[in-house]
Amino acid sequence: MKFQNIKRSTISHQVAETVRDAIVSGAYVPGDPLPTERALADEFGINRSSVREALRQLESWGLVEIRHGAGARVSDFLSTAGLQLLPFLLAPGGRLDPKLLFDLLELRVELLGFTAGHAANRADPPAIQELAACLGRLEAATDVEDVQVLDYAFFQQLVVMSGNRVLALLSNAIARVYLENRALFSMMYVGGLDTGPHRRTLEAVGQGDATGARAAMAEYGASALGRLR
Amino acid sequence: MKFQNIKRSTISHQVAETVRDAIVSGAYVPGDPLPTERALADEFGINRSSVREALRQLESWGLVEIRHGAGARVSDFLSTAGLQLLPFLLAPGGRLDPKLLFDLLELRVELLGFTAGHAANRADPPAIQELAACLGRLEAATDVEDVQVLDYAFFQQLVVMSGNRVLALLSNAIARVYLENRALFSMMYVGGLDTGPHRRTLEAVGQGDATGARAAMAEYGASALGRLR
DNA sequence: TGTCATAATTGGTCGGACCACCGGGCCACC
DNA sequence: GGTGGCCCGGTGGTCCGACCAATTATGACA
């Protein structure tokens, strides 16, 4: 039994999360005015400073727009927010949005291929060795949760090898989706993981075969996508 | 003559931007402790509340990690932050990072293809008509800045047509890169824009030809990438 | 030398005050 | 009828000073 990290949370974080969930779950519609800072402070029974800190957070998530003297409004976050919202949009109020998950995995297929292809182009021996080690650890794992983590580590190593920092940032954002909704993705791993595509990817990357690596990784992504239906 | 919107800024935003730039430009290295809230307030000559609001923002950008009683440390943002940092990483301290721009455009090629392909699969007549209108406006424009905006609008319409909401969030993030560094990308448009790929994309999307649409849009992205060298 | 209570440091929360800005209503003026 | 000036209540922005809570440094003691 491993203990979870105890998450200590500040009041402002809790408020931000509460209001954030209210917004993404549709309790507030884009354009709606938020209660005033003083009203929120009253409602939550906390100080206005804490509310303000929470609002700053909501603002930087792209969820609300604050105007001096005129209050805060819920913004049209689907056209202003970035991927940092995805973890919370995926299962608002505990209810999974299957279409959104499908969209994510669909895009992931593309990114997996892109990543593997560029990793093959730019790989150097030590990195390839590290990738092989990742694969070894993955194949040795039995616990579902470990498999999940190590599978992601394999992909992460490919991202590093690709040398594309924009891709790295993008993959950070996607990693958060996994972390926030770990249970959601565990279904992709029940009944064991076929590491065949991983092995073929490793081989192709080792030979600098970008086309092969891309195909192998895309195949893996597509199979995960297929398992969703 | 159109007047620009006057942008009013709060103190906390200014502080957040200042510290953010100091971090991404390397003045602080990941792991470094930030000055204490009280010290920052003194240094900037402002109140501690404003500093705290700024720190919340930096925290939600993934740039710093705050621990009760122990101060704030700069986090290893390249492995924790998401795409929302990209606009500022691209030209820290006014100096362009050409490799990062290359990485972005390289990834963009992939995304353009993905977007066009899926748009072709899911397009309906009114959306296609709107896409045609986008192309019309683009070809009618003469001002470089207008071309830049309308070129992006064409892509944005493809994103909408693809029906992939994750892609939409991703493209929001990338849009911010354009907006924050508009001048940087204007070079891609000097000497006019060849709208041939756009026209071929429109045609392919209209016929539901995913492969053709993907190829046309990828070609366009690759040409932009080539112009960078 | 190692341990542990304690003090100092630092972030978290609070209450209250005042300023800056927005929106709407009102009114004089053209 | 329309325009601009003016005022006023509501709301966000900033400040101050105080105290609480967690961490870290300190130093006495065994």
Side-chain angles (χ1 to χ4, degrees):
Chain A
M1 172 62 193
K2 287 185 291 185
F3 289 105
Q4 293 287 352
N5 279 345
I6 296 179
K7 53 176 174 185
R8 226 183 336 275
S9 185
T10 67
I11 288 187
S12 66
H13 284 145
Q14 295 176 44
V15 172
E17 284 166 21
T18 303
V19 179
R20 179 243 287 153
D21 289 343
I23 292 176
V24 299
S25 71
Y28 288 102
V29 172
D32 281 356
L34 232 51
T36 69
E37 297 179 349
R38 292 169 175 87
L40 282 173
D42 267 6
E43 196 165 335
F44 285 110
I46 60 177
N47 190 273
R48 194 176 148 215
S49 311
S50 303
V51 172
R52 284 184 57 78
E53 289 179 18
L55 285 175
R56 282 275 169 275
Q57 214 167 324
L58 292 168
E59 189 187 31
S60 72
W61 280 338
L63 281 176
V64 307
E65 196 176 340
I66 306 174
R67 285 166 50 210
H68 187 177
R73 310 185 83 83
V74 176
S75 54
D76 179 15
F77 52 88
L78 280 183
S79 58
T80 65
L83 279 177
Q84 69 267 26
L85 263 197
L86 191 52
F88 317 114
L89 286 173
L90 205 55
R95 238 181 300 279
L96 170 68
D97 183 339
K99 169 64 167 62
L100 197 60
L101 177 58
F102 180 82
D103 286 350
L104 171 61
L105 294 182
E106 199 175 54
L107 185 59
R108 196 179 80 124
V109 173
E110 191 80 12
L111 292 176
L112 285 170
F114 176 84
T115 307
H118 284 271
N121 281 335
R122 296 174 187 168
D124 53 310
I128 294 172
Q129 206 166 342
E130 175 57 29
L131 186 65
C134 284
L135 178 57
R137 284 193 290 272
L138 175 58
E139 292 184 326
T142 56
D143 185 52
V144 172
E145 195 164 332
D146 290 343
V147 170
Q148 198 171 348
V149 171
L150 292 169
D151 181 34
Y152 188 78
F154 183 87
F155 171 60
Q156 193 59 36
Q157 174 63 15
L158 280 177
V159 170
V160 171
M161 290 168 74
S162 80
N164 189 315
R165 272 179 295 161
V166 178
L167 179 61
L169 291 176
L170 176 51
S171 110
N172 288 343
I174 293 185
R176 299 222 165 177
V177 184
Y178 287 91
L179 294 178
E180 295 270 348
N181 303 21
R182 204 171 301 171
L184 242 172
F185 293 91
S186 64
M187 71 179 189
M188 280 167 37
Y189 298 94
V190 292
L193 175 68
D194 174 22
T195 58
H198 298 74
R199 221 173 296 139
R200 282 193 291 282
T201 303
L202 171 60
E203 193 176 344
V205 167
Q207 298 171 351
D209 171 15
T211 312
R214 172 183 277 261
M217 226 32 199
E219 172 201 343
Y220 156 66
S223 89
L225 186 58
R227 205 179 297 198
L228 176 63
R229 303 172 204 267
Chain B
M1 172 63 191
K2 286 185 294 185
F3 288 106
Q4 292 285 352
N5 279 346
I6 296 180
K7 54 177 171 185
R8 226 183 336 270
S9 181
T10 67
I11 288 187
S12 67
H13 283 144
Q14 296 176 44
V15 171
E17 284 166 21
T18 304
V19 179
R20 179 243 286 154
D21 289 343
I23 292 177
V24 301
S25 71
Y28 288 101
V29 173
D32 280 358
L34 232 53
T36 69
E37 297 179 349
R38 293 170 174 87
L40 282 173
D42 265 7
E43 196 165 335
F44 286 110
I46 60 176
N47 190 272
R48 197 175 145 215
S49 311
S50 303
V51 172
R52 284 183 57 78
E53 289 179 18
L55 284 176
R56 283 275 169 273
Q57 213 167 325
L58 292 168
E59 189 187 33
S60 72
W61 281 338
L63 282 176
V64 306
E65 195 176 340
I66 305 175
R67 285 163 47 206
H68 187 176
R73 309 185 84 83
V74 176
S75 55
D76 179 17
F77 52 88
L78 281 183
S79 58
T80 64
L83 279 177
Q84 69 267 27
L85 264 196
L86 191 53
F88 318 115
L89 287 172
L90 205 56
R95 238 181 301 280
L96 170 68
D97 182 339
K99 169 67 168 61
L100 198 60
L101 178 56
F102 181 82
D103 286 350
L104 171 61
L105 294 182
E106 198 174 54
L107 185 59
R108 195 178 82 125
V109 173
E110 191 80 13
L111 292 176
L112 285 170
F114 176 85
T115 306
H118 284 271
N121 281 334
R122 297 175 185 167
D124 53 309
I128 294 173
Q129 204 166 344
E130 176 57 29
L131 186 65
C134 283
L135 178 56
R137 284 192 291 272
L138 175 59
E139 292 184 324
T142 56
D143 183 52
V144 173
E145 195 163 331
D146 289 344
V147 171
Q148 197 170 349
V149 171
L150 291 169
D151 181 33
Y152 188 78
F154 183 87
F155 171 59
Q156 193 59 35
Q157 173 63 15
L158 281 176
V159 170
V160 171
M161 291 168 75
S162 81
N164 190 316
R165 273 179 293 160
V166 178
L167 179 62
L169 290 177
L170 176 51
S171 109
N172 288 343
I174 293 185
R176 297 220 167 178
V177 184
Y178 287 91
L179 294 177
E180 295 271 346
N181 302 338
R182 203 170 301 172
L184 242 172
F185 292 91
S186 64
M187 70 178 189
M188 281 169 34
Y189 298 94
V190 291
L193 174 69
D194 173 22
T195 58
H198 298 74
R199 220 172 296 137
R200 283 193 291 282
T201 303
L202 170 61
E203 192 176 345
V205 167
Q207 298 172 351
D209 172 14
T211 312
R214 172 182 277 260
M217 226 31 199
E219 173 202 345
Y220 156 66
S223 87
L225 184 58
R227 205 178 298 198
L228 175 64
R229 303 174 204 265

